[in-house]
Every structure is written in structure tokens, then in C-alpha cells.
Amino acid sequence: MEGGFVKADNTNLPRVSALMIGKFFAANPDFCSAELRNVKTLISGRESYGDDAIGYVQLRREQSTCIVKCTVCPEHRVRCKAYAATLVVNEEEEVVTSVKCHDCPASEGGCKHAVAFLMWLHRRSEEPPCTSIECYWRKSNLSKVGTSIKILTARDMAKRKPKEFEEEPQLMIEFVEECKKRKINTCQILKHETEYPGGLGTVLSMHSLIINHCDENC
Ligand SMILES: [Zn+2]
């Protein structure tokens, strides 16, 4: 840990509300550089990456300013050196002053590690208060892969409940009808339609197997 810093846990983190996130992005239009815009920002902001990638969170308070530091495990090469990120919050004015990644060459305009850290802090702020203390000064889940995590079971992979979206069956029905009319049967999405030939492929897909058999020891 760095001088003057303490281990971060669920009781001492600064609060980062949705409004503060909105203000930060509005005040830093460059933050989402061309590379990051749209899909990439969404991906790094999603909880399945951030919650597994963030580790060794430490913080220091100086009057109304709180400096939070962490390491962010690379998304793909999990054994490579983690990126270091720093986030500064003015707690009195409820403003995110800056979010920086120190190891990305193009981090000036914001990078996915900075976004992941910002959104991680926001998600922790939204969590209901808990009586037990959860320390965030620890190795990230992603960086455990290949060292302390040797195998990943289907049960672990399916642990997070998939988000439920409101069903909109009409659109899919129309799409399938149109495909039938045009005799299209090579489209990827049709493989998930039971009445289409090739249904067996769906049954044996890795995704279906994990979801259907996550409670078994496999
Ligand atoms: Zn970065």
C-alpha cells in the first residue's frame, strides 16, 4: 500500500451516485475517445468485467478529497501486469474530479480501465448497507485465473443470474416468418428457434449446456 493510504472496504469507500457519473461524463466529453465510444464503454462498464477485474483498492482522505486507487486486470491477457488506476472524488461537492489509468498510452481521453473503475465504485455505492465488512484490498478474480483458480466449473460460470429483459416476442415471430418466406436458414439467431432445423445444435451449445447443467457437478 502507498503511504497514507488505507485498505478500502464497504464501509469507507466514497459514494459515487448515478448523478455524479452523469456529470462526470458530461464535463469530460473527451473521456469517451473514439476507440471507447459505444460498445467498448458498455463492455468495460458492465459488472461482469469490472467486478472480476478490480483488485487491491486503497484510499486516502485529505479534507473533502478522497483519492481511491486500484489495479485493473487486463481483460484478455489475465496473466499480464495489471493496470493502475486512480480516481479522485470531492465528497463535499459530490463531484468526481478525475479518473485516470496510469498504464494505457492513450488514457488521456479515458480508457476502459478507468471506466471499469468508475462504474465499479458506482455499483459499490448502490449496494444495500451490509453488517459484515468486505475488504477490497485483495487480488482480483480475473488475476487469480491460472494461479489460485485452476479450473472453473459450470456452476461458477452460471452463478450470476442473467439479466431479465421484458419479452418482446412479436419482433422475433415476424423475423422468423420473414426468414421462412425468404428460405433463409443459415442465420445464427435462427439456431435458437426450436422449430427451425438444426435445433440439436442449440441443445449441445456450450451456452445451453452451462445454463441447463450448472447445478450438476461438471
Ligand atoms: Zn487503461
Side-chain angles (χ1 to χ4, degrees):
M1 248 183 316
E2 291 180 33
F5 279 77
V6 294
K7 292 175 185 176
D9 60 45
N10 55 346
T11 61
N12 65 5
L13 279 178
R15 197 175 164 272
V16 174
S17 67
L19 197 65
M20 289 162 75
I21 301 266
K23 274 190 201 160
F24 178 77
F25 281 121
N28 297 275
D30 294 343
F31 198 79
C32 293
S33 58
E35 188 223 3
L36 270 174
R37 229 164 265 150
N38 308 325
V39 180
K40 280 198 175 175
T41 313
L42 276 177
I43 290 173
S44 47
R46 77 185 175 207
E47 59 192 66
S48 58
Y49 173 56
D51 286 354
D52 286 337
I54 309 287
Y56 297 111
V57 188
Q58 51 181 328
L59 61 89
R60 192 175 80 190
R61 283 195 164 86
E62 290 165 6
Q63 289 151 1
S64 57
T65 305
C66 184
I67 303 165
V68 196
K69 294 187 175 210
C70 78
T71 61
V72 188
C73 183
E75 190 169 13
H76 302 295
R77 295 181 197 163
V78 293
R79 306 294 299 279
C80 292
K81 190 182 168 290
Y83 295 82
T86 304
L87 189 147
V88 182
V89 184
N90 185 324
E91 293 183 284
E92 210 173 275
E93 291 172 22
E94 299 197 335
V95 173
V96 177
T97 317
S98 68
V99 192
K100 281 197 178 87
C101 166
H102 304 291
D103 297 302
C104 266
S107 63
E108 275 310 299
C111 70
K112 65 177 183 177
H113 312 109
V115 175
F117 188 29
L118 179 67
M119 298 314 289
W120 177 88
L121 202 55
H122 170 57
R123 282 194 299 279
R124 298 294 81 76
S125 308
E126 299 281 285
E127 277 171 351
C130 174
T131 44
S132 59
I133 290 181
E134 194 174 352
C135 183
Y136 300 122
W137 178 262
R138 60 181 180 206
K139 209 171 178 169
S140 72
N141 283 342
L142 264 186
S143 62
K144 286 180 196 162
V145 174
T147 51
S148 37
I149 300 177
K150 296 283 185 197
I151 50 159
L152 203 55
T153 59
R155 183 183 296 166
D156 290 334
M157 287 172 85
K159 209 163 54 183
R160 284 200 182 101
K161 289 223 159 55
K163 280 211 169 70
E164 284 183 14
F165 295 98
E166 218 171 285
E167 272 193 45
E168 212 183 310
Q170 193 51 38
L171 179 71
M172 193 59 195
I173 292 168
E174 280 172 30
F175 178 76
V176 173
E177 282 305 313
E178 192 61 32
C179 286
K180 275 182 189 164
K181 243 187 262 170
R182 298 181 188 204
K183 295 193 169 50
I184 295 171
N185 51 24
T186 52
C187 173
Q188 189 66 28
I189 202 165
L190 290 176
K191 291 184 181 166
H192 299 273
E193 279 303 299
T194 43
E195 53 180 287
Y196 245 82
L200 188 65
T202 314
V203 176
L204 293 177
S205 82
M206 283 306 287
H207 178 76
S208 301
L209 288 172
I210 287 173
I211 296 298
N212 294 337
H213 300 284
C214 63
D215 287 332
E216 294 163 33
N217 273 330
C218 55

